Amino acid sequence: MKRHARLGLLASTILAVPVATPVAAEEVYDLGTLVFSGGLTPVEAREYGRAATVLTEEEIEDRGARYAVDLIRALPGVSVSRTGSAGGLTQVRMRGHEGNHTLVLIDGVEVVSPSQGEYDFSGLLSADIERIEVLRGPQSSLYGSNAIGGVISITTKRATEPGISGRAGVEFGSDGTAQVSLALRQRSDKLALSFSATRRDTGGYDVSGLNGEDDGDINETYNLNAQYFATENLTFGGTLRHVKSRSDLDSQVYTALTPAGQILVDDLSGSDTAETFGSLYAELDTFDGRFRNRLDLSFADIQTDRFNGTGAQSGDTTETRQKISYKGSVALDGGTVETARHVVTVGAEWERETFVNNNPAFVSAPSQLIKQTREQTALVAEYQGKLTDSFNMQLSLRHDFNDAFEDFTTYAAGLSYTLPNRTTRLHASGGTGVQNPTMFEQFGFSNDFIGNPDLKPEQSQGWDIGIEQQFLGGRGLVDITYFQDELTDEISTTVDPATGRWKPFNQMGKSDRKGVEIGASLQVTARLDLGLNYTWLEAENPNGSTEVRRPEHEVLLQMGYNFPDDRTRFTMDVQHVANNVDLFFPPSFISVPVTLPDYTLANIGLRHQLTDSVEIYGRIENLTDEKYQEVLGYDTPGRTAFIGLNATF
C-alpha cells in the first residue's frame, strides 16, 4: 500500500539508518515516519515545518524505474532535464533554481562535483535504493553552499534481519539493455554489513536523430556499508561507494540558422567516469542518552576522461573533496535525545575541494594545469522544540568561513501546527541560502571557457506556507504548498563573439521564483490506490525572461491495483509537461528562447510473486511512443519494454 510521508533531513555528513512503520487506515494523522535529513537530529514527520517528500522502498519498486532520476522527476517542485539517452548529463532543478543549487547526499555523503557544483544523476541506478528524501527550499543554514534550491538525500538498503540474507536480479529490455544485480547482507548483535553490485548495459539509440551510431551507456555500481556496535552507547560505521561508467554522446552544433537546425552531430563523443565516495563515523551517547556526540569523516574522488567526435581522448581531470564534521546534541528537558521535547545541537565542519587537469596535451595554457584548491569551515546550531502537543518549531543558524569568498551567515525556521481536529496540519518555513561560484566558474579549465575570479556568491531568500489535510478517515491525504524565492547575483554565462569563448558573470537585479506544489494520495479500496503530484512554477531572470529547462506545469497521475490473488500488482503513471523553455544559439551567439512542445508520457508495470522468494516483473515506458524533447536538439527514447526476475534468500 502506497503512503505519502513528510520527511525531515539529517546533517550533511550523517550516515542515516532509516526507520519506518506502516500506518493503518484508521489511525488518524499518524504518518508513522521519522524524518532524517531536515535537521541535525531526526524530526517526527507530523512535527516538521518544511516542505518535503519521501519515496519509500515500496513506491520505488512500484514505479519500476531503473534510474533514480526517473523516480525523482515526478515529485512536486522538481524539474529534470536529460541530454539524450541514459548516461547523458542529467540535471535536477528544484523550485526554479539551477542544477548546482541542489545538494545531493548518498548515505550521508555529499556527492556533488567540486568543479561543477552539482551531481549528474545519469549514473545513479535505483537497484539498491531504500528511500529518497527530497527537501525543498533554501537549506544553507544546515548544509552551506549548493543547497539554495533544496536537498535530495538517498539511503541505500541495509542489513535489518538477523543472519545472512541477499537478493539477486536480472533484467533484459529494449535497445540491447541488460542488467544484473546482487546484494548480500549480514547482521548480528555486534555487526551489520551490506554489499551490493549492479551492472547495467544499454546499447541506447542515436540521440542526434540522424539514424546514425547508437549512444549507449555502461554502468557498474558497488556499494558497501557497515556498522559495528562496540557497546550499548558507542557505534562505529562507514560506507564506500564506487561507480564506473562509459557514456556515449553526440556533439551539439551552434551554427544553425533556426532552432529546428540546432541538432547534434552523429559522432563518437563520450566520457569515462570513475566516482568513489566514502565515510567513517563514530557516535557516542553519554549521560544516559541525554548528550549525543558524532564525528564524521568523508571523501569524494572523481576521475573523468573525455573523448572528442573522433573517439580520441580530449580530457583527463581529477576532483576531490575531504570533509570532517562534529555535532553534539543535548536533550534540554531530560530523557534521551530521541524522546526529549527540546533538543539543541551544535556542530562544526571543515571541507577541502580540489580540481586538476592531468594531461598537458588537453589544455591550451600551462595555467590550466595548476591544481586549484578551496577550503571552508563552518559553525552550525539548531533548536528543535515541541512547544505544545500541536505546535512544533525548528530553528537553524550557520556561519561559513571561506578562503576564496566573503564569509556569510544563513538561517532558517520551520513551524508546524496541528489543528484540534487532528486531521489538519499547517506548516510554514523561511530561510536564506548562499551558493559559492563553482570551481569551473571561478577558474575555468577548458579552452572554450574563461574563469572569472571576481564572481560573487549567489544569495537567496525564500519562504513557503502550506496545509496538509487528511480525509475519509485517514485513507486520503492532500498537501498544498505555496512558495516564493528571490535570488540575487545569479551567475550566468555570455559568449564573446570575437573569440567564441564563454565567460561567467553575476546578473544585476533579482531573479524571482514562485509556485504551487501539490501532493495527494488516496486509498480508494483495499486493492486500489491513487496518487497525484503537481507543480506550477514561474521562474524569471532579472530582465523578466523565463528561466530555461524549468517547465511551468508538471503533473503526474499514479494508479496501483493489487489483484485478488494478493501476489500480482499493476501500476500505471501518466505525466504531462507543459511550457518548457530552452535556448537556441544562432551564429551571432545571442541566445533566443524557444518553447519546446508539450508532451505526455505513460508508463505501465506489472509485478507477480511467483513464490515467497521469487518475483517476476515487466514494464513498458513511453507507452504511446511520444516524440518529445527535454533539451533542445536532443532526441529522447521512444517506446521501450523491460522484463526481469528478482530472487531473495
Side-chain angles (χ1 to χ4, degrees):
M1 184 179 296
K2 296 168 63 178
R3 300 289 182 190
H4 277 260
R6 285 269 149 214
L7 273 293
L9 302 176
L10 280 181
S12 60
T13 53
I14 293 181
L15 184 63
V17 179
V19 179
T21 304
V23 184
E26 65 273 16
E27 289 181 318
V28 176
Y29 208 76
D30 182 9
L31 299 182
T33 302
L34 279 179
V35 281
F36 287 106
S37 309
L40 299 181
T41 57
V43 187
E44 288 190 35
R46 59 189 176 188
E47 299 170 355
Y48 191 56
R50 301 180 189 177
T53 305
V54 60
L55 285 176
T56 65
E57 182 177 7
E58 185 178 17
E59 289 174 312
I60 291 171
E61 292 185 356
D62 263 357
R63 293 290 306 278
R66 299 300 94 191
Y67 292 90
V69 73
D70 293 322
L71 301 165
I72 295 170
R73 67 167 62 243
L75 300 181
V78 176
S79 303
V80 172
S81 60
R82 176 189 281 136
T83 53
S85 64
L89 174 64
T90 306
Q91 297 175 292
V92 172
R93 298 174 173 87
M94 299 177 65
R95 288 190 169 178
H97 284 275
E98 193 45 77
N100 64 348
H101 295 173
T102 300
L103 182 70
V104 182
L105 311 172
I106 299 180
D107 290 335
V109 179
E110 184 177 345
V111 295
V112 299
S113 161
S115 67
Q116 302 294 332
E118 65 180 291
Y119 179 66
D120 181 359
F121 279 83
S122 64
L124 183 56
L125 300 176
S126 64
D128 197 43
I129 294 178
E130 179 165 296
R131 64 193 281 142
I132 301 173
E133 307 175 359
V134 178
L135 177 65
R136 303 184 294 276
Q139 306 300 325
S140 293
S141 62
L142 292 175
Y143 296 98
S145 186
N146 300 109
I148 284 182
V151 174
I152 296 176
S153 180
I154 293 166
T155 303
T156 60
K157 296 178 182 179
R158 308 296 172 86
T160 57
E161 300 295 328
I164 297 176
S165 60
R167 179 171 177 166
V170 61
E171 177 181 298
F172 300 96
S174 302
D175 299 327
T177 298
Q179 175 174 303
V180 292
S181 60
L182 175 67
L184 297 173
R185 301 181 178 91
Q186 187 271 337
R187 189 176 182 94
S188 65
D189 292 340
K190 285 290 187 179
L191 185 66
L193 287 172
S194 295
F195 170 78
S196 66
T198 304
R199 176 186 169 95
R200 186 172 183 85
D201 188 342
T202 178
Y205 61 94
D206 178 20
V207 300
S208 72
L210 300 176
N211 297 318
E213 173 231 8
D214 288 339
D215 300 295
D217 179 67
I218 300 174
N219 181 296
E220 296 178 6
T221 298
Y222 306 91
N223 203 71
L224 174 68
N225 58 68
Q227 290 176 293
Y228 175 65
F229 310 102
T231 70
E232 183 179 351
N233 299 318
L234 177 62
T235 301
F236 297 98
T239 182
L240 185 64
R241 181 178 182 84
H242 181 72
V243 181
K244 184 178 179 180
S245 62
R246 169 69 194 235
S247 303
D248 297 330
L249 305 171
D250 280 337
S251 302
Q252 192 161 11
V253 177
Y254 293 102
T255 58
L257 298 178
T258 66
Q262 186 168 309
I263 58 175
L264 308 182
V265 175
D266 178 32
D267 61 20
L268 301 178
S269 301
S271 64
D272 281 346
T273 303
E275 301 175 332
T276 305
F277 308 102
S279 69
L280 294 172
Y281 78 88
E283 188 171 272
L284 175 66
D285 284 350
T286 58
F287 298 101
D288 296 324
R290 293 193 297 272
F291 182 30
R292 173 166 295 168
N293 301 270
R294 180 160 177 138
L295 179 67
D296 285 87
L297 312 175
S298 64
F299 75 91
D301 184 281
I302 303 174
Q303 308 281 336
T304 304
D305 292 333
R306 292 181 174 83
F307 302 90
N308 61 24
T310 67
Q313 188 176 8
S314 58
D316 179 2
T317 62
T318 300
E319 44 195 309
T320 69
R321 175 185 297 107
Q322 299 87 38
K323 181 179 287 190
I324 303 173
S325 68
Y326 164 81
K327 70 184 186 73
S329 302
V330 180
L332 298 181
D333 55 338
T336 66
V337 171
E338 288 92 348
T339 61
R341 296 180 64 89
H342 303 275
V343 176
V344 168
T345 303
V346 295
E349 67 179 45
W350 169 86
E351 182 180 73
R352 181 175 186 263
E353 296 179 327
T354 71
F355 180 93
V356 64
N357 279 303
N358 298 316
N359 194 325
F362 306 138
V363 300
S364 61
S367 61
Q368 293 183 353
L369 292 172
I370 298 174
K371 184 177 183 178
Q372 302 292 350
T373 302
R374 298 199 314 202
E375 291 187 9
Q376 68 175 30
T377 56
L379 300 174
V380 59
E382 182 190 44
Y383 164 75
Q384 293 183 10
K386 302 178 184 179
L387 304 182
T388 70
D389 290 340
S390 300
F391 184 46
N392 299 271
M393 176 186 295
Q394 302 90 40
L395 304 173
S396 53
L397 182 70
R398 177 180 172 119
H399 185 77
D400 283 85
F401 305 88
N402 295 284
D403 67 346
F405 310 102
E406 291 185 5
D407 302 340
F408 54 81
T409 301
T410 50
Y411 62 86
L415 304 174
S416 173
Y417 176 69
T418 303
L419 272 60
N421 62 17
R422 309 304 296 171
T423 63
T424 306
R425 186 173 74 95
L426 306 178
H427 57 86
S429 67
T432 59
V434 175
Q435 171 67 42
N436 288 333
T438 68
M439 297 187 77
F440 189 79
E441 293 167 338
Q442 184 182 0
F443 301 111
F445 298 112
S446 66
N447 297 334
D448 59 356
F449 190 94
I450 305 171
N452 184 354
D454 298 322
L455 286 172
K456 296 184 293 184
E458 300 168 292
Q459 299 186 52
S460 74
Q461 186 170 6
W463 60 272
D464 59 44
I465 186 168
I467 181 170
E468 184 181 85
Q469 178 66 54
Q470 286 195 18
F471 55 94
L472 296 179
R475 292 190 293 114
L477 176 71
V478 61
D479 190 350
I480 304 174
T481 302
Y482 175 82
F483 69 87
Q484 284 192 3
D485 192 280
E486 186 178 83
L487 181 67
T488 57
D489 294 319
E490 182 177 5
I491 296 175
S492 187
T493 56
T494 187
V495 177
D496 181 356
T499 63
R501 302 179 72 183
W502 298 81
K503 185 174 182 178
F505 68 99
N506 291 105
Q507 296 189 58
M508 301 292 292
K510 299 177 181 179
S511 303
D512 294 322
R513 290 100 165 86
K514 60 182 177 181
V516 175
E517 301 161 342
I518 300 175
S521 63
L522 174 63
Q523 195 70 40
V524 181
T525 68
R527 300 193 180 281
L528 177 65
D529 52 81
L530 302 175
L532 165 71
N533 289 322
Y534 170 74
T535 303
W536 169 73
L537 172 67
E538 184 178 284
E540 296 180 341
N541 289 295
N543 64 4
S545 63
T546 300
E547 295 268 19
V548 300
R549 302 178 188 175
R550 300 153 174 85
E552 181 181 5
H553 300 283
E554 293 189 77
V555 60
L556 176 80
L557 298 173
Q558 296 173 295
M559 184 270 285
Y561 178 75
N562 294 317
F563 283 75
D565 62 3
D566 290 326
R567 304 180 73 88
T568 308
R569 180 168 173 82
F570 172 80
T571 58
M572 181 175 185
D573 57 81
V574 179
Q575 183 179 16
H576 181 71
V577 177
N579 199 18
N580 187 20
V581 176
D582 207 345
L583 292 178
F584 163 60
F585 290 91
S588 65
F589 289 104
I590 300 176
S591 61
V592 179
V594 176
T595 300
L596 301 177
D598 302 345
Y599 62 89
T600 302
L601 300 179
N603 307 312
I604 59 173
L606 192 70
R607 295 161 48 199
H608 177 69
Q609 203 73 33
L610 293 173
T611 69
D612 291 342
S613 59
V614 179
E615 177 191 68
I616 188 171
Y617 64 89
R619 179 171 173 82
I620 300 176
E621 298 180 349
N622 193 1
L623 180 65
T624 61
D625 201 24
E626 180 90 343
K627 306 300 182 184
Y628 67 102
Q629 288 188 348
E630 295 178 350
V631 178
L632 181 64
Y634 288 86
D635 271 13
T636 49
R639 184 188 300 111
T640 55
F642 307 92
I643 187 169
L645 191 73
N646 286 319
T648 58
F649 54 90

